[in-house]
Amino acid sequence: MSSTPENPRVVVIGAGIVGCSLADELTARGWTDITVLEQGPLPAPGGSTSHAPGLVFQTNSSKTLTALARYTVEKFTSLDVDGVCCFHQVGGLELATTPERLAELHRRAGYAASWGVRGEIVSAARCKELWPMIDESLVLGGFHTPDDGLARALLASRAQMARASARGARFLDRHTVTGIEREDGRVTGVVTDRGTFPADHVVSAAGFWGPVIGRMAGIDVPLQPLAHQYARTGPLPELSGATAEASKPILRFQDRDLYFREHTDRIGIGSYAHRPLPVDPFAVLPYDEARARNMDMPSSYPFTEEDWAPSWADCRHLMPALRDAEIEAGFNGVFSFTPDGMPVLGESRRLRGFWLAEAVWVTHSAGVAKAVAEWMVEGRPSIDLHECDLTRFEEAQRSPSYVLERGAQQFVEVYDVIHPLQPMERPRPLRVSPFHARQQQLGGYFLEGGGWERPHWYEANAPLVDALGPLPARDAWSARHWSPVAAAEAKATREGVALYDMTPLRRLEVTGPGSLDFLDRMTSNNLRKKPGAVTYSLLLDASGGIRSDLTVARLAPDRFQVGANSPADLDWLLRHAPSDVHIRDITSGTCCVGVWGPLARDLVQPLTPDDFSHEAFGYFRAKESYIGHVPVTAMRLSYVGELGWELYTTADLGLRLWDTLWEAGRELGVIAAGRSAFNSLRLEKGYRAWGVDMTDEHDPFEAGVGFAVRMDRDDFVGKAALAGKGEATRRLTPLLLDDPAAVVLGKEPVYVDGLPAGYVTSASYGYTLGRCVAYAWLPAGLPAGTGVHIEYVGEKVPATVADEPLFDPKMTRIRR
């Protein structure tokens, strides 16, 4: 069959659950020239799918992963092979044996309500009813999700293979991939030990072999395989006479890193409690060689008894019936882990037509396949995938040692109670700004993002807390990675002047004769302004979804500095840039200090030969100047709602810039302030954070950033889609909690008239307002004053819809 734009040649590498699901989803969308290559035998080729225990718990703190799991359940429930359904909906049950875990289950119940999964917190007695073998005296409660269950992965693979084959796809086993052909930056074919297959698109769905395939394509795949213990008991008297594969919910005992499922009259047990057991993907044996060495399959390693012993003791403690039981069989099964625990999806820019669908567990397999198929056929997935995008990792996060260390830590923390602000412990510090030494001297409390050390507050400011008066007491959860010093830093910013390290924010330099036309076409606002102008604008996709938000400073006719969010922004612009446009990431070679507060001009003006008055240097303007001896690019911007500037210079001069500002600011009472105060101040002003408050699932008007869209100008990406949109049915809505002592953190469900109606995106205590501020996606049309409830750790907290901006609505503090 010859290739056509409507029916291109696609080669999928790997016939596990992801590859089979993808072939089904692609052929359902009209792409039928699909070849799926598998090195092992079908239908059980020996990868992770072949041994996966099949537990599907849909609820996740990630809205994206939950959506992928929900589709997987929906699809597999609709499939059967010879009358056997591909999903056994026995439900799920997660146990709490500590107060900390019970609180975590309440949070998980909140995620379920936010993302549309049925679930409820149940008593210890109800847990005992659902799983009679557990010792009820150990249990404080549980989280029951009736729609979870067991995915029969091999059956689901067979069912989808049959459907895809009927539409024209072919599945070839015993074909080992040995190379990826390419020409002029595009993939052209896949070489195997049994011939070459021409291709317009190649998808690596090779599971833990992903790094091997990636190396053939010249693409690094940040994935670390690790072995995970799974054991099966002998027949149990308590299950004697059982005929169904399972009748009880799949069970998690996260306090001991264990899970359980029935195998008719036996119980299967998985453990994450043991030491990380990394596997070199380049050393995994081929199927036949693995079998020759008495291994069931390449992904099944010998069971290590010494790792199992502590977990077996914990199993017997939870289930007394197991005290007389024996382990009948066990193995160490290989799974894929990434540095952040998320899949790796998308098309490589360096090798067009080469796609990754890697680090995907059975739980999310069909959902991932649907999203990738939409991406390939229609140009974009229907759900936000920025957490899974292959471009999300920084270069500093792609080294093999980093991927190994973080991947192993993800394994260790699979069932841990993780605070949303909790950073990984190692390797740190990795990336530091030029101000890091001074921040350490000031007692900076550092968290991490993108590999950067980010100060959240400074202990040097602790004496300022005494002047605040009493602050509302915090519960133990919301008090983690928080300090009352943040309130003092916010107050000092509102009343004096503070220095904020903005170095981790991404900076791009765009130059060349076509740079203005290019940026004007790629973004939503009007950039055709004189040099010195700064514009807030949006990167939209063709459907009008918000890919990112940017600040674009025109420093010269053909030179721009772009403030962006993630490596994906750079990748997106590079994909579309014409030959007369040059884009360079300058983040690592530069740094930035935000100087904000009503005394900001008093600090900066004596240090510069230029006029920094409001009349000479207006809001959203840029100027190349000097601060003392340091050349800077100064931008009159403020993300905290106060007078001030972002001051940029090269990294080698960063420390001198900080010291110059610090020494000059002593008589003004200058402080250094951290991200905790920053987040509070920006929410009081209603400033959105891309990736949290808005993504490409949202359009600018419903997200409240329609002011950054100029529909009256020439065509730009997303304009046609926005012109065709009807009235918004949802809005990003500001809420104020009614109780001055109440706090929420984000991702909690919001109830309107007693029913779940949306979820919180960002939240922080507004120290100026004396109330916690929360932004939430809610139905459009809720007027200010409408009462709602936010569920926080099982409690319904009253809140009220507010008008925005909540602070300084006339913008008098910034424009002075």
Side-chain angles (χ1 to χ4, degrees), residues 88 133 235-248 262-267:
H88 190 20
M133 293 172 64
L236 299 174
E238 291 77 8
L239 300 178
S240 177
T243 57
E245 176 189 5
S247 61
K248 301 174 184 62
E262 294 168 285
H263 293 279
T264 313
D265 62 349
R266 294 160 167 83
I267 291 181

Side-chain angles (χ1 to χ4, degrees), residues 345-379:
L345 312 176
E347 182 191 19
S348 168
R349 175 178 51 81
R350 293 174 179 168
L351 183 58
R352 299 294 182 90
F354 184 80
W355 295 76
L356 295 179
E358 298 291 9
V360 182
W361 291 13
V362 171
T363 300
H364 312 108
S365 54
V368 162
K370 175 176 182 279
V372 172
E374 291 170 337
W375 208 342
M376 295 175 72
V377 177
E378 301 160 23

